[in-house]
Amino acid sequence: MAASSQRKKKTKRTPSRTSGNPAKKPVVELGPVTAGDWIGAARLRTLPLAIAPVLIGTGAARSTGPEFHWVIALACLAVAVLLQIGVNFTNDYSDGIRGTDAQRVGPARLTASGRVKPRTVLIVGLAFFALAAAVGLAIVIRTGQWWMLAVGAACIVAAWFYTGGKRPYGYYGLGEVFVFVFFGLVATLGTTWVQVFALPQQAWLGAIAAGLFACAVLLANNLRDIDQDRLVGKRTLTVLIGRRATQVLFTLFVLAPFGIAVFLALLFPIAWLCLLALLAGLPAVLIVWTYRQPRELVIALALTSLTSLLYAGALFWAFVG
């Protein structure tokens, strides 16, 4: 009887060693957080989306006159990059505390992995927002465009409520709308305005192109996470419209800027060089249509981001050349 009782106890104890939340297993495997993990959390592959609108906006400003406002241009670049990194860290925090990243396909996030306290990740994200605000304030003081303080505040608020707050708009299919507005129109046109106090046609067209590329990157990201987002109730545009419609929309967002480039080439001949960015854009489209594993979409995301940078570089050359 005693031996039988011991066998029963062992049978009860065995499941306790293998049960639990599978989402917590990677915490043991990942080990302590490193500098590389913090750099990874900054999501450097998304930074071209911050650089591209500044390049286009600066080129558009330069096309209106001989003077190059390089100090203001560099300040605009700093604001854009700092905001992008701030968004990435606060997104890591917000998705992590909601449990949205518990079963994600891409690289493990700091908050969701449990290796860094959520408050620490939040403070880092807010610190980048504060740095962006400080540089933005310097631009306002230098240019005397005080009304742009409201624009800067709107950028930070939009960045936070993408995944933060009680009703984040990124969870209700509105992420692409705000990305287009702030990472396309506002970033590009704002860069042009603070340099020449004018918004020429080429700035508007370039802003639309930059916004479309940013939306394409977000679509690739959300297509990768579509199954996990459905499970946790995150209703991204991709979740709402499905895989096939997302693939079609992604293709349109990647290719439409090249139609804009063809039109701009009639006024700025060097803009034909923008078509070289298709060398990165077309493989991204191909991956989105043929992928078998969600992880493959990480490559599509990186290629799309690279496409935006190559496109912006060629357009900058066209405007200043």
Side-chain angles (χ1 to χ4, degrees), residues 65-122:
E67 189 175 359
F68 179 52
H69 305 274
W70 64 272
V71 174
I72 296 178
L74 289 176
C76 289
L77 179 62
V79 171
V81 170
L82 290 169
L83 277 177
Q84 179 69 65
I85 296 175
V87 168
N88 292 338
F89 276 114
T90 55
N91 177 255
D92 185 305
Y93 164 79
S94 298
D95 281 347
I97 62 172
R98 281 189 169 86
T100 308
D101 282 343
Q103 299 287 348
R104 71 187 311 276
V105 176
R109 299 300 183 209
L110 294 177
T111 305
S113 68
R115 293 178 297 164
V116 179
K117 293 181 180 179
R119 179 180 174 82
T120 302
V121 179
L122 175 60

Side-chain angles (χ1 to χ4, degrees), residues 8 25 47 85 190 194 202 210 212 216 239 278 306 310 318:
K8 287 181 180 179
K25 288 183 180 180
L47 294 189
I85 296 175
V194 295
Q202 56 268 32
L212 290 175
V239 169
L278 284 169
L306 176 61
L310 294 174

Side-chain angles (χ1 to χ4, degrees), residues 79-311:
V79 171
V81 170
L82 290 169
L83 277 177
Q84 179 69 65
I85 296 175
V87 168
N88 292 338
F89 276 114
T90 55
N91 177 255
D92 185 305
Y93 164 79
S94 298
D95 281 347
I97 62 172
R98 281 189 169 86
T100 308
D101 282 343
Q103 299 287 348
R104 71 187 311 276
V105 176
R109 299 300 183 209
L110 294 177
T111 305
S113 68
R115 293 178 297 164
V116 179
K117 293 181 180 179
R119 179 180 174 82
T120 302
V121 179
L122 175 60
I123 290 173
V124 171
L126 295 179
F128 276 100
F129 284 161
L131 289 172
V135 179
L137 178 59
I139 294 173
V140 168
I141 294 173
R142 173 66 177 80
T143 61
Q145 301 295 294
W146 295 97
W147 60 273
M148 292 199 73
L149 288 175
V151 177
C155 289
I156 294 176
V157 169
W160 168 252
F161 283 104
Y162 171 56
T163 55
K166 293 182 179 180
R167 295 181 65 85
Y169 62 81
Y171 281 55
Y172 294 93
L174 295 174
E176 285 75 9
V177 174
F178 282 81
V179 163
F180 179 79
V181 171
F182 287 98
F183 284 91
L185 301 183
V186 173
T188 307
L189 298 176
T191 298
T192 302
W193 179 264
V194 295
Q195 294 184 57
V196 294
F197 306 136
L199 297 175
Q201 172 184 261
Q202 56 268 32
W204 284 96
L205 293 173
I208 292 171
L212 290 175
F213 281 127
C215 289
V217 169
L218 183 57
L219 282 177
N221 179 79
N222 290 340
L223 184 60
R224 180 197 65 193
D225 297 335
I226 185 172
D227 293 327
Q228 292 73 28
D229 288 343
R230 280 175 176 160
L231 286 174
V232 299
K234 185 176 180 180
R235 301 176 65 201
T236 63
L237 180 61
T238 295
V239 169
L240 294 176
I241 66 178
R243 282 189 174 85
R244 183 52 54 85
T246 297
Q247 290 168 324
V248 172
L249 197 57
F250 175 87
T251 304
L252 290 174
F253 284 171
V254 170
L255 298 183
F258 294 98
I260 294 174
V262 170
F263 174 79
L264 286 171
L266 300 177
L267 303 172
F268 305 93
I270 298 177
W272 286 109
L273 292 177
C274 290
L275 298 182
L276 292 176
L278 284 169
L279 294 174
L282 290 179
V285 172
L286 182 63
I287 292 171
V288 164
W289 279 96
T290 62
Y291 78 97
R292 293 184 179 276
Q293 298 295 327
R295 289 185 181 276
E296 297 172 38
L297 292 171
V298 175
I299 300 174
L301 187 155
L303 284 173
T304 308
S305 188
L306 176 61
T307 302
S308 72
L309 185 60
L310 294 174
Y311 181 99

